[in-house]
Amino acid sequence: MTLTTQILLGSLSLLLLTVVLGGLLFTLISNQTLERQYQLRALGIATTTAQMPEIRSALAAEDPTHIIDGLAREITGAAQSAYVVVTDRNGIRFSHPDPALIGHKLEEPVAALDGQTHVGFNQGSLGRSANAKAPIFGADGSVIGQVSVGIEETQVFENEVQNIWLITGFSALVLALGVGVSLLLARRIKRVTFNLEPAEIASLLQEREALLHGIREAVVGLDDDGRVTVINGEARRLLQIEGVALGKPVAELIPEGRLRDLLTGKIPGTDQVALTQDALLVVNRMPVSSAGRSIGSVVTLRDRTEIESLVRDLHSVRGLMEAMRALEHEYANRMHIVDGLLEMGDVDQAKSYVSQVSAMSRSLGEGLRARIAPPELAALLLAKITVAAEQDVQIEVSPESRLEHPPMDQTELLTIVGNLLDNAVDALAYTPRPRTVTVQFDDADGVFIAVRDNGPGIPADKIDQVVVDGYSTKDPRPGMRRGIGLALVARIVHRAGGTLDVFPGPGGNFEVWLPANPAPPDKDRRGGH
């Protein structure tokens, strides 16, 4: 059955049951009340008649002038009763609607001899009627007779039938209103549910739950007030939300920062990047409307931590390849020089040149290894120096630099140094010569890293923004997301309990200090450069 039919049948069944039971109960109570009212009405007539002086005096004198029957007929007409019968204590009638029965004795005993009134439905000579009997007292206070007043049952029944018709009409009106309201309700529900039947709604709900929790992407639904209406398991994992989330505003679930601004739409745009303590997220927020009215937004989040790490590792490998290509090109030029000297027969000059070149190359590598103990970091510095030289940028490791094996994750150390050097080289791309970058290391108290260049530097009003994920002043690079490097450095330093200081220009100046005993990681953290 359709939703409309179900609502209509359910409402009608309930209304019909309620109306029928209510009508029967009301009819029963109304009829009882009506019968009681007629009995009381007859009692009032009988009591009033019994207290009339004319009736009392005439009955005491045995009605020699026959006035009792006349008075009884007047009372019967005025009160619209069926009869008013006056009898003495022996049951002899002094009035009756049938004159032939006057002077005859009652068939039943005189009930009012006990001095009390009596009411009920009796079967008399005129048929069944609502009857009341009242005693007539003499001058000495004794009972000298009774007045019996009756109202025909047909009159009572007519009023009961009239009440039944009123109840029936009212019940029909209630049923009609119930049908109308049920139809309106069904129509409204159908409009709200886009004319879908209950089975279709249940199927859509099952499909939504399966889709929502089956996809790998994180999905968060928000209403216009920024409260969470939908959230799947992947979103809870990436956003580190535990407990009840539905119905709560984003401000209570996500700490203040770029990620919250992206979720609430304060920062617009597609494929926006946000860094958490454990992941790099790509956030998209799309508004949702229905019938031209905004009903909220849907936010999707993708975990790009591993992919971004691989991209940055690939970029590092590409940098090493560029360094090798530069070295190959340089050595090819040197071999041409040696070959030329040998062709000209200047063997001594060739030997001197080879010795000089060999000493320079060995001096650079040995100098780095002598001051920088971690081989990975020394190799990274050598590669960065070679690649930067291709861009006419000179990277120098300060002579006083010293770094033994630091008690920290080498990957994180490489991420810090690599990102700071890349930013410095990029900052010098369009500056006049000479272009120099100086790197300084010190392990006297923890690990101190300083990277300085002679470029334009960071404006004083942008210092707080350069370490925010997604902020960058450089042009996009194919395959790489801008605004991640310094943010990654800031996250690593913060997790290790260190400090990152950015000084305003002119000249770039970044200083990192990491404690000798960094805080142990509380979660599986991943990073790249």
Side-chain angles (χ1 to χ4, degrees):
M1 291 186 295
T2 64
L3 180 62
T4 303
T5 304
Q6 293 182 45
I7 294 176
L8 184 60
L9 290 180
S11 301
L12 283 180
S13 300
L14 181 61
L15 284 173
L16 186 61
L17 179 63
T18 303
V19 168
V20 170
L21 292 178
L24 291 175
L25 182 61
F26 183 79
T27 301
L28 179 62
I29 296 174
S30 176
N31 289 345
Q32 291 177 350
T33 302
L34 187 63
E35 290 176 357
R36 183 63 179 170
Q37 287 177 349
Y38 272 95
Q39 290 173 358
L40 293 177
R41 176 183 168 189
L43 179 60
I45 298 172
T47 303
T48 303
T49 303
Q51 293 176 354
M52 293 178 64
E54 297 90 344
I55 297 294
R56 295 171 62 182
S57 58
L59 183 61
E62 296 183 358
D63 194 19
T65 57
H66 304 288
I67 65 171
I68 293 179
D69 185 58
L71 291 173
R73 290 181 182 277
E74 291 179 4
I75 295 172
T76 300
Q80 297 182 350
S81 60
Y83 59 85
V84 176
V85 177
V86 179
T87 63
D88 60 12
R89 61 179 297 109
N90 297 319
I92 302 301
R93 299 185 181 94
F94 286 84
S95 67
H96 197 278
D98 184 1
L101 296 178
I102 297 176
H104 291 78
K105 189 176 182 179
L106 294 174
E107 292 81 4
E108 70 276 2
V110 179
L113 291 178
D114 59 359
Q116 303 295 324
T117 59
H118 299 268
V119 294
F121 274 83
N122 294 333
Q123 184 67 39
S125 59
L126 298 178
R128 184 173 171 81
S129 61
N131 181 264
K133 297 179 175 64
I136 302 174
F137 295 97
D140 57 357
S142 62
V143 178
I144 60 175
Q146 77 173 7
V147 177
S148 176
V149 177
I151 300 176
E152 291 182 347
E153 187 180 36
T154 55
Q155 187 176 353
V156 179
F157 180 73
E158 287 177 359
N159 287 332
E160 289 179 349
V161 170
Q162 185 179 2
N163 287 342
I164 292 174
W165 278 112
L166 288 175
I167 294 172
T168 302
F170 176 77
S171 300
L173 178 61
V174 170
L175 287 175
L177 290 175
V179 171
V181 172
S182 299
L183 290 175
L184 291 176
L185 177 62
R187 182 179 177 183
R188 176 173 175 77
I189 294 176
K190 292 282 285 184
R191 184 169 63 251
V192 171
T193 57
F194 300 97
N195 292 323
L196 295 176
E197 297 298 330
E200 295 173 320
I201 297 174
S203 177
L204 285 177
L205 179 60
Q206 293 174 349
E207 293 174 1
R208 192 203 75 159
E209 290 298 314
L211 178 64
L212 187 64
H213 297 284
I215 60 176
R216 290 296 305 273
E217 281 195 350
V219 178
V220 180
L222 305 173
D223 60 15
D224 284 332
D225 296 327
R227 297 182 180 274
V228 177
T229 58
V230 174
I231 186 170
N232 64 355
E234 183 68 5
R236 287 180 175 273
R237 183 185 72 84
L238 293 180
L239 299 176
Q240 300 180 357
I241 296 176
E242 298 179 357
V244 178
L246 296 180
K248 291 187 176 181
V250 174
E252 293 185 12
L253 302 173
I254 307 298
E256 185 178 0
R258 176 178 172 81
L259 181 57
R260 183 204 286 183
D261 293 340
L262 288 172
L263 293 176
T264 57
K266 187 176 180 179
I267 299 179
T270 59
D271 289 338
Q272 293 292 320
V273 177
L275 275 175
T276 66
Q277 291 295 334
D278 302 302
L280 184 148
L281 306 178
V282 178
V283 183
N284 281 285
R285 183 180 185 275
M286 297 295 294
V288 180
S289 61
S290 176
R293 180 175 60 88
S294 174
I295 59 175
S297 59
V298 174
V299 181
T300 60
L301 304 100
R302 299 194 304 274
D303 187 358
R304 294 293 299 269
T305 307
E306 294 182 357
I307 296 178
E308 194 69 23
S309 178
L310 291 174
V311 170
R312 290 183 176 273
D313 287 343
L314 179 60
H315 177 68
S316 298
V317 172
R318 185 176 298 171
L320 292 175
M321 292 177 62
E322 290 291 330
M324 294 177 64
R325 183 194 62 76
L327 290 174
E328 179 188 7
H329 180 70
E330 183 178 355
Y331 280 111
N333 290 334
R334 293 172 179 175
M335 291 302 295
H336 286 308
I337 294 174
V338 173
D339 182 63
L341 290 173
L342 292 175
E343 285 289 336
M344 292 185 298
D346 196 348
V347 177
D348 293 336
Q349 184 66 30
K351 289 181 179 180
S352 175
Y353 180 74
V354 171
S355 299
Q356 181 183 0
V357 170
S358 177
M360 291 176 56
S361 300
R362 185 168 55 254
S363 174
L364 177 60
E366 291 177 353
L368 287 175
R369 287 304 307 273
R371 289 174 290 170
I372 308 300
E376 299 90 347
L377 181 58
L380 175 67
L381 291 172
L382 183 60
K384 295 294 184 183
I385 290 171
T386 305
V387 173
E390 286 288 300
Q391 303 178 37
D392 200 12
V393 177
Q394 182 180 2
I395 297 179
E396 299 177 352
V397 179
S398 63
E400 66 274 12
S401 292
R402 292 292 183 274
L403 183 62
E404 297 299 330
H405 294 283
M408 64 178 299
D409 188 350
Q410 294 297 313
T411 303
E412 294 185 346
L413 180 61
L414 296 177
T415 298
I416 295 173
V417 176
N419 279 291
L420 292 179
L421 287 176
D422 285 343
N423 287 339
V425 172
D426 288 344
L428 297 175
Y430 302 104
T431 60
R433 296 179 180 85
R435 304 166 183 161
T436 61
V437 178
T438 303
V439 187
Q440 180 184 352
F441 297 95
D442 188 358
D443 58 1
D445 179 20
V447 177
F448 175 77
I449 304 169
V451 177
R452 303 179 180 93
D453 62 69
N454 63 341
I458 305 298
D461 59 342
K462 301 294 185 182
I463 288 179
D464 294 334
Q465 300 181 31
V466 294
V467 294
V468 176
D469 41 324
Y471 178 83
S472 178
T473 58
K474 294 176 284 189
D475 296 331
R477 182 167 52 189
M480 293 285 291
R481 296 182 183 275
R482 290 293 192 184
I484 301 299
L486 281 177
L488 280 174
V489 172
R491 295 292 194 279
I492 294 173
V493 172
H494 176 72
R495 287 195 304 233
T499 59
L500 170 63
D501 295 320
V502 183
F503 299 93
N509 190 353
F510 295 84
E511 294 182 359
V512 174
W513 174 80
L514 302 172
N517 297 312
D522 56 353
K523 294 183 179 179
D524 179 21
R525 298 186 176 102
R526 295 159 288 181
H529 67 270

